[in-house]
Amino acid sequence: AGDGTGSHEDLVMKFPLTSLVMLAHAHPAEVVERLEGLCRTAPREPMFREYLALALLRLGKAQEAWDVLERAPLLEADWRMMQVRAEVLMALGRFAEAAGTADAMIQMHPDAPDGYWARLTAQGRMDDNEGMIQLAQRFLDCVAAQRAPHVPKQGEARTSRGT
């Protein structure tokens, strides 16, 4: 960009976001300040708001995290943002909304354990035990599937790695 702010890729390379979130415990004001700056520089980039919300949540500022998410452009298919929303909603005690968000996550990616974990957590906080065993089993199945090496089915070609 000709305005001196740099491209999205430049910003991501300049500020490794994962490192910023990890540093939130050691230097919270600096990390939040940097992420707020990134949000101002690239207001249409939901990833920056997502990480800012996570940093604020880790600092115990759930309402501020929610305010950041409310201002974030939400794309229907933004699964990571849904994950952050569920976490923030649970921190705010809005368990039914968190459960609904987790259901949407499960619907979007039925093989990802995170949606089931969010649903289990929200449902447990609501003291609603119905279906918990099935949710827990599905969560464990997803985790096991992610950790298991790929075994070719009969007739399926093996890759060069021998899997």
PDB file of all heavy atoms in Angstrom, residues 21 24 32 35-36 39 46-72 80-81 83-85 87-88 91:
ATOM      1  N   VAL A  21       0.296 -12.983  21.178  1.00  0.00           N
ATOM      2  CA  VAL A  21      -0.654 -13.563  22.127  1.00  0.00           C
ATOM      3  C   VAL A  21       0.107 -14.263  23.253  1.00  0.00           C
ATOM      4  O   VAL A  21      -0.253 -14.141  24.419  1.00  0.00           O
ATOM      5  CB  VAL A  21      -1.626 -14.527  21.410  1.00  0.00           C
ATOM      6  CG1 VAL A  21      -2.498 -15.255  22.418  1.00  0.00           C
ATOM      7  CG2 VAL A  21      -2.498 -13.750  20.432  1.00  0.00           C
ATOM      8  N   ALA A  24       1.334 -11.918  25.866  1.00  0.00           N
ATOM      9  CA  ALA A  24       0.299 -11.160  26.581  1.00  0.00           C
ATOM     10  C   ALA A  24       0.448 -11.260  28.095  1.00  0.00           C
ATOM     11  O   ALA A  24       0.145 -10.310  28.807  1.00  0.00           O
ATOM     12  CB  ALA A  24      -1.088 -11.620  26.159  1.00  0.00           C
ATOM     13  N   VAL A  32      -1.490  -5.779  23.675  1.00  0.00           N
ATOM     14  CA  VAL A  32      -2.813  -5.284  23.317  1.00  0.00           C
ATOM     15  C   VAL A  32      -2.681  -4.022  22.472  1.00  0.00           C
ATOM     16  O   VAL A  32      -3.379  -3.856  21.464  1.00  0.00           O
ATOM     17  CB  VAL A  32      -3.673  -5.051  24.581  1.00  0.00           C
ATOM     18  CG1 VAL A  32      -4.940  -4.284  24.258  1.00  0.00           C
ATOM     19  CG2 VAL A  32      -4.021  -6.395  25.224  1.00  0.00           C
ATOM     20  N   LEU A  35      -1.734  -5.028  18.918  1.00  0.00           N
ATOM     21  CA  LEU A  35      -2.863  -5.624  18.207  1.00  0.00           C
ATOM     22  C   LEU A  35      -3.928  -4.580  17.884  1.00  0.00           C
ATOM     23  O   LEU A  35      -4.530  -4.618  16.807  1.00  0.00           O
ATOM     24  CB  LEU A  35      -3.452  -6.783  19.011  1.00  0.00           C
ATOM     25  CG  LEU A  35      -2.595  -8.048  19.016  1.00  0.00           C
ATOM     26  CD1 LEU A  35      -3.069  -9.014  20.086  1.00  0.00           C
ATOM     27  CD2 LEU A  35      -2.590  -8.710  17.650  1.00  0.00           C
ATOM     28  N   GLU A  36      -4.150  -3.641  18.784  1.00  0.00           N
ATOM     29  CA  GLU A  36      -5.101  -2.562  18.497  1.00  0.00           C
ATOM     30  C   GLU A  36      -4.610  -1.744  17.304  1.00  0.00           C
ATOM     31  O   GLU A  36      -5.402  -1.339  16.452  1.00  0.00           O
ATOM     32  CB  GLU A  36      -5.296  -1.671  19.720  1.00  0.00           C
ATOM     33  CG  GLU A  36      -6.125  -2.317  20.794  1.00  0.00           C
ATOM     34  CD  GLU A  36      -6.186  -1.521  22.093  1.00  0.00           C
ATOM     35  OE1 GLU A  36      -5.289  -0.678  22.341  1.00  0.00           O
ATOM     36  OE2 GLU A  36      -7.129  -1.758  22.855  1.00  0.00           O
ATOM     37  N   CYS A  39      -5.361  -3.587  14.195  1.00  0.00           N
ATOM     38  CA  CYS A  39      -6.795  -3.487  13.879  1.00  0.00           C
ATOM     39  C   CYS A  39      -7.113  -2.155  13.211  1.00  0.00           C
ATOM     40  O   CYS A  39      -7.940  -2.091  12.298  1.00  0.00           O
ATOM     41  CB  CYS A  39      -7.640  -3.665  15.143  1.00  0.00           C
ATOM     42  SG  CYS A  39      -7.642  -5.346  15.777  1.00  0.00           S
ATOM     43  N   PRO A  46     -10.198  -9.729   9.866  1.00  0.00           N
ATOM     44  CA  PRO A  46     -10.759 -10.281  11.097  1.00  0.00           C
ATOM     45  C   PRO A  46      -9.733 -10.994  11.982  1.00  0.00           C
ATOM     46  O   PRO A  46      -9.898 -11.050  13.196  1.00  0.00           O
ATOM     47  CB  PRO A  46     -11.842 -11.242  10.613  1.00  0.00           C
ATOM     48  CG  PRO A  46     -11.548 -11.506   9.186  1.00  0.00           C
ATOM     49  CD  PRO A  46     -10.759 -10.336   8.670  1.00  0.00           C
ATOM     50  N   MET A  47      -8.651 -11.480  11.385  1.00  0.00           N
ATOM     51  CA  MET A  47      -7.653 -12.203  12.166  1.00  0.00           C
ATOM     52  C   MET A  47      -7.060 -11.324  13.270  1.00  0.00           C
ATOM     53  O   MET A  47      -6.834 -11.785  14.384  1.00  0.00           O
ATOM     54  CB  MET A  47      -6.547 -12.717  11.255  1.00  0.00           C
ATOM     55  CG  MET A  47      -5.451 -13.484  11.980  1.00  0.00           C
ATOM     56  SD  MET A  47      -4.186 -14.127  10.870  1.00  0.00           S
ATOM     57  CE  MET A  47      -3.548 -12.640  10.125  1.00  0.00           C
ATOM     58  N   PHE A  48      -6.833 -10.045  12.973  1.00  0.00           N
ATOM     59  CA  PHE A  48      -6.252  -9.165  13.978  1.00  0.00           C
ATOM     60  C   PHE A  48      -7.207  -8.991  15.157  1.00  0.00           C
ATOM     61  O   PHE A  48      -6.797  -9.003  16.315  1.00  0.00           O
ATOM     62  CB  PHE A  48      -5.897  -7.806  13.376  1.00  0.00           C
ATOM     63  CG  PHE A  48      -4.826  -7.867  12.317  1.00  0.00           C
ATOM     64  CD1 PHE A  48      -4.838  -6.969  11.264  1.00  0.00           C
ATOM     65  CD2 PHE A  48      -3.817  -8.809  12.356  1.00  0.00           C
ATOM     66  CE1 PHE A  48      -3.855  -7.008  10.281  1.00  0.00           C
ATOM     67  CE2 PHE A  48      -2.836  -8.872  11.386  1.00  0.00           C
ATOM     68  CZ  PHE A  48      -2.851  -7.966  10.340  1.00  0.00           C
ATOM     69  N   ARG A  49      -8.489  -8.829  14.871  1.00  0.00           N
ATOM     70  CA  ARG A  49      -9.483  -8.687  15.949  1.00  0.00           C
ATOM     71  C   ARG A  49      -9.611  -9.986  16.737  1.00  0.00           C
ATOM     72  O   ARG A  49      -9.791  -9.971  17.935  1.00  0.00           O
ATOM     73  CB  ARG A  49     -10.816  -8.254  15.380  1.00  0.00           C
ATOM     74  CG  ARG A  49     -10.760  -6.853  14.837  1.00  0.00           C
ATOM     75  CD  ARG A  49     -12.124  -6.253  14.657  1.00  0.00           C
ATOM     76  NE  ARG A  49     -12.027  -4.967  14.016  1.00  0.00           N
ATOM     77  CZ  ARG A  49     -11.744  -3.831  14.650  1.00  0.00           C
ATOM     78  NH1 ARG A  49     -11.544  -3.843  15.937  1.00  0.00           N
ATOM     79  NH2 ARG A  49     -11.673  -2.698  13.987  1.00  0.00           N
ATOM     80  N   GLU A  50      -9.511 -11.078  16.029  1.00  0.00           N
ATOM     81  CA  GLU A  50      -9.575 -12.380  16.685  1.00  0.00           C
ATOM     82  C   GLU A  50      -8.460 -12.517  17.727  1.00  0.00           C
ATOM     83  O   GLU A  50      -8.696 -12.880  18.878  1.00  0.00           O
ATOM     84  CB  GLU A  50      -9.453 -13.462  15.612  1.00  0.00           C
ATOM     85  CG  GLU A  50      -9.332 -14.870  16.104  1.00  0.00           C
ATOM     86  CD  GLU A  50      -9.007 -15.802  14.952  1.00  0.00           C
ATOM     87  OE1 GLU A  50      -9.459 -15.561  13.808  1.00  0.00           O
ATOM     88  OE2 GLU A  50      -8.282 -16.768  15.200  1.00  0.00           O
ATOM     89  N   TYR A  51      -7.234 -12.178  17.323  1.00  0.00           N
ATOM     90  CA  TYR A  51      -6.103 -12.276  18.248  1.00  0.00           C
ATOM     91  C   TYR A  51      -6.191 -11.226  19.361  1.00  0.00           C
ATOM     92  O   TYR A  51      -5.822 -11.507  20.497  1.00  0.00           O
ATOM     93  CB  TYR A  51      -4.772 -12.168  17.508  1.00  0.00           C
ATOM     94  CG  TYR A  51      -4.376 -13.468  16.853  1.00  0.00           C
ATOM     95  CD1 TYR A  51      -4.569 -13.661  15.499  1.00  0.00           C
ATOM     96  CD2 TYR A  51      -3.826 -14.496  17.601  1.00  0.00           C
ATOM     97  CE1 TYR A  51      -4.216 -14.862  14.896  1.00  0.00           C
ATOM     98  CE2 TYR A  51      -3.476 -15.690  17.017  1.00  0.00           C
ATOM     99  CZ  TYR A  51      -3.669 -15.877  15.662  1.00  0.00           C
ATOM    100  OH  TYR A  51      -3.331 -17.058  15.073  1.00  0.00           O
ATOM    101  N   LEU A  52      -6.687 -10.047  19.046  1.00  0.00           N
ATOM    102  CA  LEU A  52      -6.873  -9.030  20.080  1.00  0.00           C
ATOM    103  C   LEU A  52      -7.890  -9.513  21.102  1.00  0.00           C
ATOM    104  O   LEU A  52      -7.673  -9.393  22.316  1.00  0.00           O
ATOM    105  CB  LEU A  52      -7.315  -7.699  19.455  1.00  0.00           C
ATOM    106  CG  LEU A  52      -7.647  -6.574  20.443  1.00  0.00           C
ATOM    107  CD1 LEU A  52      -6.462  -6.256  21.348  1.00  0.00           C
ATOM    108  CD2 LEU A  52      -8.089  -5.325  19.674  1.00  0.00           C
ATOM    109  N   ALA A  53      -8.986 -10.084  20.629  1.00  0.00           N
ATOM    110  CA  ALA A  53     -10.001 -10.610  21.548  1.00  0.00           C
ATOM    111  C   ALA A  53      -9.410 -11.713  22.422  1.00  0.00           C
ATOM    112  O   ALA A  53      -9.652 -11.755  23.636  1.00  0.00           O
ATOM    113  CB  ALA A  53     -11.209 -11.121  20.767  1.00  0.00           C
ATOM    114  N   LEU A  54      -8.628 -12.592  21.834  1.00  0.00           N
ATOM    115  CA  LEU A  54      -7.989 -13.657  22.629  1.00  0.00           C
ATOM    116  C   LEU A  54      -7.027 -13.086  23.665  1.00  0.00           C
ATOM    117  O   LEU A  54      -7.007 -13.542  24.814  1.00  0.00           O
ATOM    118  CB  LEU A  54      -7.232 -14.623  21.713  1.00  0.00           C
ATOM    119  CG  LEU A  54      -8.060 -15.683  21.029  1.00  0.00           C
ATOM    120  CD1 LEU A  54      -7.201 -16.465  20.036  1.00  0.00           C
ATOM    121  CD2 LEU A  54      -8.686 -16.620  22.038  1.00  0.00           C
ATOM    122  N   ALA A  55      -6.237 -12.094  23.277  1.00  0.00           N
ATOM    123  CA  ALA A  55      -5.294 -11.488  24.224  1.00  0.00           C
ATOM    124  C   ALA A  55      -6.054 -10.847  25.379  1.00  0.00           C
ATOM    125  O   ALA A  55      -5.683 -11.015  26.545  1.00  0.00           O
ATOM    126  CB  ALA A  55      -4.412 -10.459  23.523  1.00  0.00           C
ATOM    127  N   LEU A  56      -7.114 -10.116  25.067  1.00  0.00           N
ATOM    128  CA  LEU A  56      -7.918  -9.480  26.125  1.00  0.00           C
ATOM    129  C   LEU A  56      -8.553 -10.538  27.026  1.00  0.00           C
ATOM    130  O   LEU A  56      -8.588 -10.382  28.251  1.00  0.00           O
ATOM    131  CB  LEU A  56      -8.991  -8.582  25.509  1.00  0.00           C
ATOM    132  CG  LEU A  56      -8.472  -7.297  24.862  1.00  0.00           C
ATOM    133  CD1 LEU A  56      -9.553  -6.658  24.004  1.00  0.00           C
ATOM    134  CD2 LEU A  56      -7.959  -6.328  25.917  1.00  0.00           C
ATOM    135  N   LEU A  57      -9.043 -11.606  26.420  1.00  0.00           N
ATOM    136  CA  LEU A  57      -9.647 -12.677  27.209  1.00  0.00           C
ATOM    137  C   LEU A  57      -8.625 -13.294  28.156  1.00  0.00           C
ATOM    138  O   LEU A  57      -8.912 -13.526  29.327  1.00  0.00           O
ATOM    139  CB  LEU A  57     -10.230 -13.741  26.284  1.00  0.00           C
ATOM    140  CG  LEU A  57     -11.013 -14.850  26.961  1.00  0.00           C
ATOM    141  CD1 LEU A  57     -12.213 -14.295  27.713  1.00  0.00           C
ATOM    142  CD2 LEU A  57     -11.468 -15.865  25.918  1.00  0.00           C
ATOM    143  N   ARG A  58      -7.416 -13.522  27.674  1.00  0.00           N
ATOM    144  CA  ARG A  58      -6.352 -14.091  28.520  1.00  0.00           C
ATOM    145  C   ARG A  58      -5.978 -13.147  29.663  1.00  0.00           C
ATOM    146  O   ARG A  58      -5.488 -13.575  30.690  1.00  0.00           O
ATOM    147  CB  ARG A  58      -5.105 -14.399  27.703  1.00  0.00           C
ATOM    148  CG  ARG A  58      -5.296 -15.417  26.620  1.00  0.00           C
ATOM    149  CD  ARG A  58      -5.636 -16.796  27.177  1.00  0.00           C
ATOM    150  NE  ARG A  58      -5.841 -17.745  26.101  1.00  0.00           N
ATOM    151  CZ  ARG A  58      -7.023 -18.100  25.627  1.00  0.00           C
ATOM    152  NH1 ARG A  58      -8.115 -17.586  26.118  1.00  0.00           N
ATOM    153  NH2 ARG A  58      -7.128 -18.979  24.654  1.00  0.00           N
ATOM    154  N   LEU A  59      -6.242 -11.857  29.468  1.00  0.00           N
ATOM    155  CA  LEU A  59      -5.965 -10.869  30.511  1.00  0.00           C
ATOM    156  C   LEU A  59      -7.154 -10.697  31.458  1.00  0.00           C
ATOM    157  O   LEU A  59      -7.129  -9.835  32.332  1.00  0.00           O
ATOM    158  CB  LEU A  59      -5.613  -9.519  29.870  1.00  0.00           C
ATOM    159  CG  LEU A  59      -4.326  -9.517  29.058  1.00  0.00           C
ATOM    160  CD1 LEU A  59      -4.192  -8.220  28.289  1.00  0.00           C
ATOM    161  CD2 LEU A  59      -3.127  -9.732  29.961  1.00  0.00           C
ATOM    162  N   GLY A  60      -8.192 -11.510  31.264  1.00  0.00           N
ATOM    163  CA  GLY A  60      -9.365 -11.432  32.123  1.00  0.00           C
ATOM    164  C   GLY A  60     -10.329 -10.318  31.748  1.00  0.00           C
ATOM    165  O   GLY A  60     -11.162  -9.913  32.552  1.00  0.00           O
ATOM    166  N   LYS A  61     -10.229  -9.822  30.536  1.00  0.00           N
ATOM    167  CA  LYS A  61     -11.076  -8.720  30.077  1.00  0.00           C
ATOM    168  C   LYS A  61     -12.092  -9.234  29.067  1.00  0.00           C
ATOM    169  O   LYS A  61     -12.096  -8.870  27.891  1.00  0.00           O
ATOM    170  CB  LYS A  61     -10.215  -7.617  29.469  1.00  0.00           C
ATOM    171  CG  LYS A  61      -9.241  -7.012  30.469  1.00  0.00           C
ATOM    172  CD  LYS A  61      -8.376  -5.957  29.822  1.00  0.00           C
ATOM    173  CE  LYS A  61      -7.455  -5.327  30.857  1.00  0.00           C
ATOM    174  NZ  LYS A  61      -6.700  -4.207  30.303  1.00  0.00           N
ATOM    175  N   ALA A  62     -12.990 -10.098  29.547  1.00  0.00           N
ATOM    176  CA  ALA A  62     -13.949 -10.760  28.662  1.00  0.00           C
ATOM    177  C   ALA A  62     -14.887  -9.765  27.987  1.00  0.00           C
ATOM    178  O   ALA A  62     -15.184  -9.904  26.795  1.00  0.00           O
ATOM    179  CB  ALA A  62     -14.747 -11.807  29.431  1.00  0.00           C
ATOM    180  N   GLN A  63     -15.373  -8.769  28.713  1.00  0.00           N
ATOM    181  CA  GLN A  63     -16.295  -7.808  28.097  1.00  0.00           C
ATOM    182  C   GLN A  63     -15.598  -6.998  27.009  1.00  0.00           C
ATOM    183  O   GLN A  63     -16.160  -6.760  25.947  1.00  0.00           O
ATOM    184  CB  GLN A  63     -16.911  -6.880  29.136  1.00  0.00           C
ATOM    185  CG  GLN A  63     -17.986  -5.954  28.567  1.00  0.00           C
ATOM    186  CD  GLN A  63     -19.139  -6.728  27.920  1.00  0.00           C
ATOM    187  OE1 GLN A  63     -19.744  -7.588  28.531  1.00  0.00           O
ATOM    188  NE2 GLN A  63     -19.437  -6.409  26.656  1.00  0.00           N
ATOM    189  N   GLU A  64     -14.357  -6.593  27.258  1.00  0.00           N
ATOM    190  CA  GLU A  64     -13.610  -5.872  26.230  1.00  0.00           C
ATOM    191  C   GLU A  64     -13.372  -6.770  25.009  1.00  0.00           C
ATOM    192  O   GLU A  64     -13.441  -6.309  23.866  1.00  0.00           O
ATOM    193  CB  GLU A  64     -12.274  -5.370  26.773  1.00  0.00           C
ATOM    194  CG  GLU A  64     -12.407  -4.209  27.723  1.00  0.00           C
ATOM    195  CD  GLU A  64     -11.055  -3.733  28.229  1.00  0.00           C
ATOM    196  OE1 GLU A  64     -10.130  -3.582  27.403  1.00  0.00           O
ATOM    197  OE2 GLU A  64     -10.935  -3.522  29.441  1.00  0.00           O
ATOM    198  N   ALA A  65     -13.104  -8.046  25.267  1.00  0.00           N
ATOM    199  CA  ALA A  65     -12.918  -9.001  24.166  1.00  0.00           C
ATOM    200  C   ALA A  65     -14.202  -9.097  23.343  1.00  0.00           C
ATOM    201  O   ALA A  65     -14.159  -9.099  22.105  1.00  0.00           O
ATOM    202  CB  ALA A  65     -12.518 -10.369  24.708  1.00  0.00           C
ATOM    203  N   TRP A  66     -15.352  -9.157  24.019  1.00  0.00           N
ATOM    204  CA  TRP A  66     -16.619  -9.236  23.310  1.00  0.00           C
ATOM    205  C   TRP A  66     -16.851  -7.963  22.486  1.00  0.00           C
ATOM    206  O   TRP A  66     -17.319  -8.043  21.343  1.00  0.00           O
ATOM    207  CB  TRP A  66     -17.776  -9.469  24.267  1.00  0.00           C
ATOM    208  CG  TRP A  66     -19.081  -9.540  23.542  1.00  0.00           C
ATOM    209  CD1 TRP A  66     -20.083  -8.633  23.537  1.00  0.00           C
ATOM    210  CD2 TRP A  66     -19.499 -10.587  22.663  1.00  0.00           C
ATOM    211  NE1 TRP A  66     -21.095  -9.040  22.709  1.00  0.00           N
ATOM    212  CE2 TRP A  66     -20.768 -10.243  22.157  1.00  0.00           C
ATOM    213  CE3 TRP A  66     -18.913 -11.787  22.241  1.00  0.00           C
ATOM    214  CZ2 TRP A  66     -21.466 -11.050  21.271  1.00  0.00           C
ATOM    215  CZ3 TRP A  66     -19.619 -12.595  21.352  1.00  0.00           C
ATOM    216  CH2 TRP A  66     -20.876 -12.218  20.876  1.00  0.00           C
ATOM    217  N   ASP A  67     -16.528  -6.809  23.051  1.00  0.00           N
ATOM    218  CA  ASP A  67     -16.699  -5.549  22.328  1.00  0.00           C
ATOM    219  C   ASP A  67     -15.868  -5.546  21.040  1.00  0.00           C
ATOM    220  O   ASP A  67     -16.323  -5.074  19.999  1.00  0.00           O
ATOM    221  CB  ASP A  67     -16.318  -4.360  23.208  1.00  0.00           C
ATOM    222  CG  ASP A  67     -17.266  -4.180  24.392  1.00  0.00           C
ATOM    223  OD1 ASP A  67     -18.385  -4.737  24.374  1.00  0.00           O
ATOM    224  OD2 ASP A  67     -16.868  -3.477  25.347  1.00  0.00           O
ATOM    225  N   VAL A  68     -14.662  -6.095  21.105  1.00  0.00           N
ATOM    226  CA  VAL A  68     -13.804  -6.195  19.915  1.00  0.00           C
ATOM    227  C   VAL A  68     -14.461  -7.097  18.871  1.00  0.00           C
ATOM    228  O   VAL A  68     -14.506  -6.771  17.687  1.00  0.00           O
ATOM    229  CB  VAL A  68     -12.402  -6.728  20.285  1.00  0.00           C
ATOM    230  CG1 VAL A  68     -11.620  -7.168  19.056  1.00  0.00           C
ATOM    231  CG2 VAL A  68     -11.628  -5.680  21.064  1.00  0.00           C
ATOM    232  N   LEU A  69     -14.995  -8.218  19.327  1.00  0.00           N
ATOM    233  CA  LEU A  69     -15.635  -9.154  18.394  1.00  0.00           C
ATOM    234  C   LEU A  69     -16.897  -8.567  17.778  1.00  0.00           C
ATOM    235  O   LEU A  69     -17.197  -8.815  16.608  1.00  0.00           O
ATOM    236  CB  LEU A  69     -15.962 -10.473  19.101  1.00  0.00           C
ATOM    237  CG  LEU A  69     -14.762 -11.300  19.542  1.00  0.00           C
ATOM    238  CD1 LEU A  69     -15.226 -12.526  20.306  1.00  0.00           C
ATOM    239  CD2 LEU A  69     -13.916 -11.693  18.354  1.00  0.00           C
ATOM    240  N   GLU A  70     -17.627  -7.801  18.544  1.00  0.00           N
ATOM    241  CA  GLU A  70     -18.840  -7.172  18.030  1.00  0.00           C
ATOM    242  C   GLU A  70     -18.534  -6.191  16.904  1.00  0.00           C
ATOM    243  O   GLU A  70     -19.357  -5.988  16.025  1.00  0.00           O
ATOM    244  CB  GLU A  70     -19.585  -6.449  19.153  1.00  0.00           C
ATOM    245  CG  GLU A  70     -20.319  -7.394  20.084  1.00  0.00           C
ATOM    246  CD  GLU A  70     -21.503  -8.047  19.392  1.00  0.00           C
ATOM    247  OE1 GLU A  70     -22.565  -7.409  19.287  1.00  0.00           O
ATOM    248  OE2 GLU A  70     -21.361  -9.203  18.959  1.00  0.00           O
ATOM    249  N   ARG A  71     -17.365  -5.580  16.947  1.00  0.00           N
ATOM    250  CA  ARG A  71     -16.968  -4.625  15.901  1.00  0.00           C
ATOM    251  C   ARG A  71     -16.281  -5.322  14.727  1.00  0.00           C
ATOM    252  O   ARG A  71     -16.042  -4.698  13.698  1.00  0.00           O
ATOM    253  CB  ARG A  71     -16.011  -3.579  16.479  1.00  0.00           C
ATOM    254  CG  ARG A  71     -16.662  -2.634  17.463  1.00  0.00           C
ATOM    255  CD  ARG A  71     -15.739  -1.498  17.851  1.00  0.00           C
ATOM    256  NE  ARG A  71     -14.418  -1.888  18.287  1.00  0.00           N
ATOM    257  CZ  ARG A  71     -14.062  -2.108  19.564  1.00  0.00           C
ATOM    258  NH1 ARG A  71     -14.948  -1.977  20.522  1.00  0.00           N
ATOM    259  NH2 ARG A  71     -12.830  -2.437  19.860  1.00  0.00           N
ATOM    260  N   ALA A  72     -15.959  -6.590  14.878  1.00  0.00           N
ATOM    261  CA  ALA A  72     -15.224  -7.311  13.837  1.00  0.00           C
ATOM    262  C   ALA A  72     -16.155  -7.685  12.691  1.00  0.00           C
ATOM    263  O   ALA A  72     -17.287  -8.086  12.917  1.00  0.00           O
ATOM    264  CB  ALA A  72     -14.603  -8.581  14.420  1.00  0.00           C
ATOM    265  N   ARG A  80     -12.547 -19.941  12.771  1.00  0.00           N
ATOM    266  CA  ARG A  80     -11.677 -19.526  13.889  1.00  0.00           C
ATOM    267  C   ARG A  80     -12.341 -18.441  14.721  1.00  0.00           C
ATOM    268  O   ARG A  80     -12.258 -18.437  15.941  1.00  0.00           O
ATOM    269  CB  ARG A  80     -10.330 -19.029  13.366  1.00  0.00           C
ATOM    270  CG  ARG A  80      -9.401 -20.104  12.899  1.00  0.00           C
ATOM    271  CD  ARG A  80      -8.027 -19.529  12.575  1.00  0.00           C
ATOM    272  NE  ARG A  80      -8.052 -18.139  12.213  1.00  0.00           N
ATOM    273  CZ  ARG A  80      -7.623 -17.653  11.054  1.00  0.00           C
ATOM    274  NH1 ARG A  80      -7.129 -18.441  10.152  1.00  0.00           N
ATOM    275  NH2 ARG A  80      -7.676 -16.365  10.808  1.00  0.00           N
ATOM    276  N   MET A  81     -12.982 -17.483  14.053  1.00  0.00           N
ATOM    277  CA  MET A  81     -13.659 -16.407  14.780  1.00  0.00           C
ATOM    278  C   MET A  81     -14.824 -16.974  15.596  1.00  0.00           C
ATOM    279  O   MET A  81     -15.076 -16.527  16.712  1.00  0.00           O
ATOM    280  CB  MET A  81     -14.154 -15.332  13.810  1.00  0.00           C
ATOM    281  CG  MET A  81     -14.727 -14.123  14.502  1.00  0.00           C
ATOM    282  SD  MET A  81     -13.500 -13.121  15.370  1.00  0.00           S
ATOM    283  CE  MET A  81     -12.975 -12.077  14.036  1.00  0.00           C
ATOM    284  N   GLN A  83     -14.854 -19.854  16.941  1.00  0.00           N
ATOM    285  CA  GLN A  83     -14.200 -20.502  18.074  1.00  0.00           C
ATOM    286  C   GLN A  83     -13.901 -19.468  19.172  1.00  0.00           C
ATOM    287  O   GLN A  83     -14.158 -19.703  20.347  1.00  0.00           O
ATOM    288  CB  GLN A  83     -12.923 -21.164  17.571  1.00  0.00           C
ATOM    289  CG  GLN A  83     -12.312 -22.160  18.481  1.00  0.00           C
ATOM    290  CD  GLN A  83     -11.140 -22.860  17.806  1.00  0.00           C
ATOM    291  OE1 GLN A  83     -10.708 -22.514  16.700  1.00  0.00           O
ATOM    292  NE2 GLN A  83     -10.624 -23.857  18.477  1.00  0.00           N
ATOM    293  N   VAL A  84     -13.379 -18.319  18.775  1.00  0.00           N
ATOM    294  CA  VAL A  84     -13.075 -17.255  19.732  1.00  0.00           C
ATOM    295  C   VAL A  84     -14.375 -16.734  20.357  1.00  0.00           C
ATOM    296  O   VAL A  84     -14.447 -16.525  21.563  1.00  0.00           O
ATOM    297  CB  VAL A  84     -12.287 -16.113  19.054  1.00  0.00           C
ATOM    298  CG1 VAL A  84     -12.103 -14.937  19.996  1.00  0.00           C
ATOM    299  CG2 VAL A  84     -10.938 -16.624  18.567  1.00  0.00           C
ATOM    300  N   ARG A  85     -15.399 -16.552  19.532  1.00  0.00           N
ATOM    301  CA  ARG A  85     -16.688 -16.077  20.053  1.00  0.00           C
ATOM    302  C   ARG A  85     -17.236 -17.032  21.115  1.00  0.00           C
ATOM    303  O   ARG A  85     -17.724 -16.595  22.152  1.00  0.00           O
ATOM    304  CB  ARG A  85     -17.710 -15.921  18.921  1.00  0.00           C
ATOM    305  CG  ARG A  85     -17.510 -14.674  18.118  1.00  0.00           C
ATOM    306  CD  ARG A  85     -18.548 -14.556  17.001  1.00  0.00           C
ATOM    307  NE  ARG A  85     -18.276 -13.388  16.211  1.00  0.00           N
ATOM    308  CZ  ARG A  85     -18.833 -12.201  16.416  1.00  0.00           C
ATOM    309  NH1 ARG A  85     -19.718 -12.045  17.355  1.00  0.00           N
ATOM    310  NH2 ARG A  85     -18.515 -11.175  15.666  1.00  0.00           N
ATOM    311  N   GLU A  87     -15.603 -19.036  23.047  1.00  0.00           N
ATOM    312  CA  GLU A  87     -14.774 -18.911  24.249  1.00  0.00           C
ATOM    313  C   GLU A  87     -15.113 -17.642  25.039  1.00  0.00           C
ATOM    314  O   GLU A  87     -15.237 -17.665  26.263  1.00  0.00           O
ATOM    315  CB  GLU A  87     -13.296 -18.924  23.848  1.00  0.00           C
ATOM    316  CG  GLU A  87     -12.369 -19.133  25.007  1.00  0.00           C
ATOM    317  CD  GLU A  87     -10.922 -19.319  24.564  1.00  0.00           C
ATOM    318  OE1 GLU A  87     -10.655 -19.704  23.411  1.00  0.00           O
ATOM    319  OE2 GLU A  87     -10.046 -19.053  25.409  1.00  0.00           O
ATOM    320  N   VAL A  88     -15.280 -16.532  24.329  1.00  0.00           N
ATOM    321  CA  VAL A  88     -15.604 -15.269  24.991  1.00  0.00           C
ATOM    322  C   VAL A  88     -17.011 -15.331  25.596  1.00  0.00           C
ATOM    323  O   VAL A  88     -17.226 -14.892  26.732  1.00  0.00           O
ATOM    324  CB  VAL A  88     -15.465 -14.080  24.010  1.00  0.00           C
ATOM    325  CG1 VAL A  88     -16.006 -12.795  24.621  1.00  0.00           C
ATOM    326  CG2 VAL A  88     -13.998 -13.901  23.624  1.00  0.00           C
ATOM    327  N   ALA A  91     -16.866 -17.116  28.799  1.00  0.00           N
ATOM    328  CA  ALA A  91     -16.255 -16.290  29.843  1.00  0.00           C
ATOM    329  C   ALA A  91     -17.244 -15.265  30.384  1.00  0.00           C
ATOM    330  O   ALA A  91     -17.164 -14.872  31.550  1.00  0.00           O
ATOM    331  CB  ALA A  91     -15.006 -15.595  29.304  1.00  0.00           C
TER     332      ALA A  91
END
